[in-house]
Amino acid sequence: MHRGNRHGRSEQARLAVLHAADDLLVENGFARLTVEGIAQRAGVAKQTIYRWWPSKTDILFEAFVTDAAEEITPPDTGDLTRDLITYLGALARFLTASDAGAVFRALTAESQHDPALAARLRQEHWTGQRVRDRQLLQRAVERGDLPAMADLDTIVDRLVGPLYYRALVTGQEITTEFVTELVRATIDAK
Amino acid sequence: MHRGNRHGRSEQARLAVLHAADDLLVENGFARLTVEGIAQRAGVAKQTIYRWWPSKTDILFEAFVTDAAEEITPPDTGDLTRDLITYLGALARFLTASDAGAVFRALTAESQHDPALAARLRQEHWTGQRVRDRQLLQRAVERGDLPAMADLDTIVDRLVGPLYYRALVTGQEITTEFVTELVRATIDAK
Amino acid sequence: MHRGNRHGRSEQARLAVLHAADDLLVENGFARLTVEGIAQRAGVAKQTIYRWWPSKTDILFEAFVTDAAEEITPPDTGDLTRDLITYLGALARFLTASDAGAVFRALTAESQHDPALAARLRQEHWTGQRVRDRQLLQRAVERGDLPAMADLDTIVDRLVGPLYYRALVTGQEITTEFVTELVRATIDAK
Amino acid sequence: MHRGNRHGRSEQARLAVLHAADDLLVENGFARLTVEGIAQRAGVAKQTIYRWWPSKTDILFEAFVTDAAEEITPPDTGDLTRDLITYLGALARFLTASDAGAVFRALTAESQHDPALAARLRQEHWTGQRVRDRQLLQRAVERGDLPAMADLDTIVDRLVGPLYYRALVTGQEITTEFVTELVRATIDAK
DNA sequence: TTTTAAGCGAGACGGTACGTCCCGTCTTTAG
DNA sequence: CTAAAGACGGGACGTACCGTCTCGCTTAAAA
């Protein structure tokens, strides 16, 4: 088995750390997530962690980026309203009920006090996510379902913003009715 | 001078702690905000802090609740569109540029990993804030500027949600154009 | 009941403190004897203790001086050897098995690092105790049972020294045989 | 330089702690000897102290056992009386005037309230010290200077007991005359 | 085939902050 | 004026993790 030597790092150790961090975050919350705890759970030396990750948020980041992108990729069936309702429902579930969402919430929380993490989230997550979010609307424009001069960026924010707001900020429940009304009022009224 | 005895705690110590916590948060960020640091800055014994506040977030909470409410109270001039644009602009400034907003962001961040804090924020902040946010729309309904059967809760979320989203989640800038377009699309189209 | 007012100090509080200190010392040992603990046990305010006793050793001192003197007063039946054996046996029991002895051991221990306490012990205890110890020998001299030019001070130390040594320093058991042999060798051989 | 790793602790840190404890005890007395103070003086982390020593008395104990044994080892010139006078004089100086004696007094004092320390002192100090003390008499017996059936244990206690008593308990001065008379009365009279 | 150097588990290290305990001082109200 | 009550500023406690470091083992490419 590959355990790490002069010719490269141990993939086994890397995965053990990522999974341990993920598990411990979900089990105990971010506040009780420690590098020592991750090392012990992963059966790995602390130094191995510090060799490859500058901080515990970087571990979470790596765990997040790899498996979170596809969880919140919008569908594309050609029916804009239906696609949006499906997508926003999946987004709500991601934010409030999934393990990957827990990691995302932890990272977003930390980014409030950590500008470097905030920048990294913007570059490595939001850039791509915004493109994915726009694509759904872009294709609707191309189909003629939305007017060509619509400000897609603003529309994206008007659609997903209230969901993130409820999920991360006020903690209000996100019902099917809320999502339906949100989509109807934002899209159909145009 | 009142120094605290059997008949009550020291108001002087209480204020010194609140101000020290506020100052240190703004100066150094949440990560470097320590109870020992607050005690030292406030000229207060650590035990005095632990006697009255269970954790450093409770200190921030008390500092926040007292002075933050009025900072984000919507105006009421009778012109809904103008009031909304004014209010959302003030909200954006609060979230991104004010000291009280820094405390708010720190509390919201911590509430991601602290359900008790999340519950307290809902009860002691959001309950009141939601009422204040609705009032602006409620008065417009009473004036006949909005249809009577409008779902005001959803409209509130559609107005403020995108702002919190940009300010706390994606970190995008909140321009005047964005606010104007948001209000126009949400209100005027009705 | 007298509880202390402008006409003088409360004897009730004084006794409650002395007994509480005594009890707590025997129950928990000196290390866990605290002023707060004594105050609580005695049902007395901390300030009342600090008003009358400079430190917790002073409380113990007062408790000791009052009731310990008579516990180790030598007998006087006219039979020097028998009196000495009786006395040294009582002294051994005092040092190793009595509550008053526990207080004495604690005070002697503290006096190793507290010169003021050491001085007070010398003046208020040892001065008198030495006189009491000498009297036994003095009367034997007067009866002609000891030579007139005997150095009584040294004889006292040669008699009690080994007991204190075993009880406080090495922790060896003090048997009847040890006491008997000690007295025989010290007195009878003269 | 050896800094401590899985293969053993740092000898450098160990010695720094022992010397710091010794110095601070002599400078400030036992009451003001704190683990934090030792750590700071030794340039060592508190955790390093707690990792290897259960309490500050264990630090003193280690400092004492290593260097105190030889300070109070009796001489052996073949002249019992002279050897005893020399030895008891050195013992008196050790108890009242040496740094190692200060550590010894502190440990003996603490052992009054700490049975574990008392047991450790008996096992690791007194067992050996008693053998060393007896040897002087044992050799005198072998030379015929003392009767073969003498109870050497009791004689040891009768010689050193009064010294410990004066040094640790009553605080009386230990003069040359006192030592001379003690040896004369104990030995020569046999 | 042997050497060698990087990655590894282990864990001691100097350090910071934690939350608790107790110190000795103080202020208030009651008797 | 003494007492009970108890909040206060202070200091040390013993613990948990931080991020750094050294050690001896494993291992695969280089010599």
Side-chain angles (χ1 to χ4, degrees), chain C residues 16 43 57 63 75 111 123 145 166-167 174:
Chain C
T57 55
S111 75
Q123 283 162 28
D145 294 349
R166 285 200 160 189
I174 299 174

Side-chain angles (χ1 to χ4, degrees), chain B residues 4 6 23 29 40 50 52 61 66 69 93 115 120 124 126 135 148 166 168 176 183 185:
Chain B
R6 72 184 298 197
D23 293 353
Q40 190 159 10
Y50 284 110
W52 302 111
F61 196 95
T66 51
R93 244 166 289 122
R120 216 184 149 194
E124 301 186 33
W126 289 114
Q135 269 177 341
R166 285 200 159 188
L168 303 183
T176 311
V183 171

Side-chain angles (χ1 to χ4, degrees), chain A residues 30 105 109-110 112-113 122 126 130 154 157-158 160-162 164-166 168-170 172 178 182 185, chain B residues 30 105 109-110 112-113 122 126 130 157-158 160-162 164-166 168-170 172 178 181-182 185:
Chain A
F30 184 83
R105 286 200 310 276
E110 285 312 290
Q112 302 303 319
H113 349 106
R122 274 198 294 279
W126 287 114
R130 179 149 285 266
T154 299
D157 289 347
R158 288 173 53 212
V160 303
Y164 284 91
Y165 173 63
R166 286 201 158 188
L168 303 183
V169 182
T170 69
Q172 294 168 94
F178 177 74
L182 179 62
Chain B
F30 184 84
R105 287 200 308 277
E110 284 313 289
Q112 302 303 318
H113 349 107
R122 273 197 294 279
W126 289 114
R130 178 149 286 262
D157 289 346
R158 289 174 53 211
V160 302
Y164 283 92
Y165 173 64
R166 285 200 159 188
L168 303 183
V169 182
T170 69
Q172 293 168 93
F178 177 72
E181 168 63 8
L182 179 60

Side-chain angles (χ1 to χ4, degrees), chain B residues 1 3-7 33-37 46-47 50:
Chain B
M1 189 186 303
R3 304 270 320 255
N5 56 22
R6 72 184 298 197
H7 305 291
L33 182 68
T34 65
V35 174
E36 288 204 340
K46 252 198 312 179
Q47 185 57 53
Y50 284 110

Side-chain angles (χ1 to χ4, degrees), chain A residues 158 181 184-186 189-190, chain B residues 145-147 150-151 155 158 182-190:
Chain A
R158 288 173 53 212
E181 168 63 9
R184 194 203 55 72
T186 309
K190 294 290 128 46
Chain B
D145 293 350
L146 276 181
D151 180 351
I155 297 177
R158 289 174 53 211
L182 179 60
V183 171
R184 194 204 55 73
T186 308
I187 300 298
D188 299 2
K190 294 289 127 50

Side-chain angles (χ1 to χ4, degrees), chain B:
Chain B
M1 189 186 303
H2 187 46
R3 304 270 320 255
N5 56 22
R6 72 184 298 197
H7 305 291
R9 67 194 278 194
S10 163
E11 179 68 8
Q12 175 183 299
R14 180 179 154 267
L15 291 176
V17 167
L18 294 181
H19 290 143
D22 230 70
D23 293 353
L24 289 171
L25 177 75
V26 171
E27 285 174 24
N28 305 325
F30 184 84
R32 274 145 72 191
L33 182 68
T34 65
V35 174
E36 288 204 340
I38 295 170
Q40 190 159 10
R41 173 79 152 243
V44 141
K46 252 198 312 179
Q47 185 57 53
T48 299
I49 296 183
Y50 284 110
R51 185 156 27 232
W52 302 111
W53 293 278
S55 73
K56 67 185 177 187
T57 56
D58 291 83
I59 306 173
L60 290 180
F61 196 95
E62 188 167 334
F64 168 65
V65 163
T66 51
D67 59 35
E70 69 262 28
E71 283 210 38
I72 46 176
T73 293
D76 181 20
T77 66
D79 179 338
L80 180 61
T81 300
R82 184 143 57 99
D83 283 354
L84 279 175
I85 291 174
T86 304
Y87 172 50
L88 293 186
L91 178 58
R93 244 166 289 122
F94 167 79
L95 289 174
T96 59
S98 74
D99 286 1
V103 177
F104 171 78
R105 287 200 308 277
L107 289 170
T108 301
E110 284 313 289
S111 75
Q112 302 303 318
H113 349 107
D114 181 347
L117 174 59
R120 216 184 149 194
L121 269 171
R122 273 197 294 279
Q123 282 163 29
E124 301 186 33
H125 173 66
W126 289 114
T127 304
Q129 186 60 34
R130 178 149 286 262
V131 167
R132 285 191 292 278
D133 287 350
R134 274 184 61 126
Q135 269 177 341
L136 201 125
L137 301 175
Q138 188 64 48
R139 285 190 286 257
V141 168
E142 286 159 11
R143 283 193 310 265
D145 293 350
L146 276 181
M149 82 299 196
D151 180 351
L152 299 190
D153 268 333
T154 298
I155 297 177
V156 164
D157 289 346
R158 289 174 53 211
L159 285 165
V160 302
L163 260 73
Y164 283 92
Y165 173 64
R166 285 200 159 188
L168 303 183
V169 182
T170 69
Q172 293 168 93
E173 205 187 345
I174 299 175
T175 61
T176 311
E177 290 73 33
F178 177 72
V179 169
T180 310
E181 168 63 8
L182 179 60
V183 171
R184 194 204 55 73
T186 308
I187 300 298
D188 299 2
K190 294 289 127 50

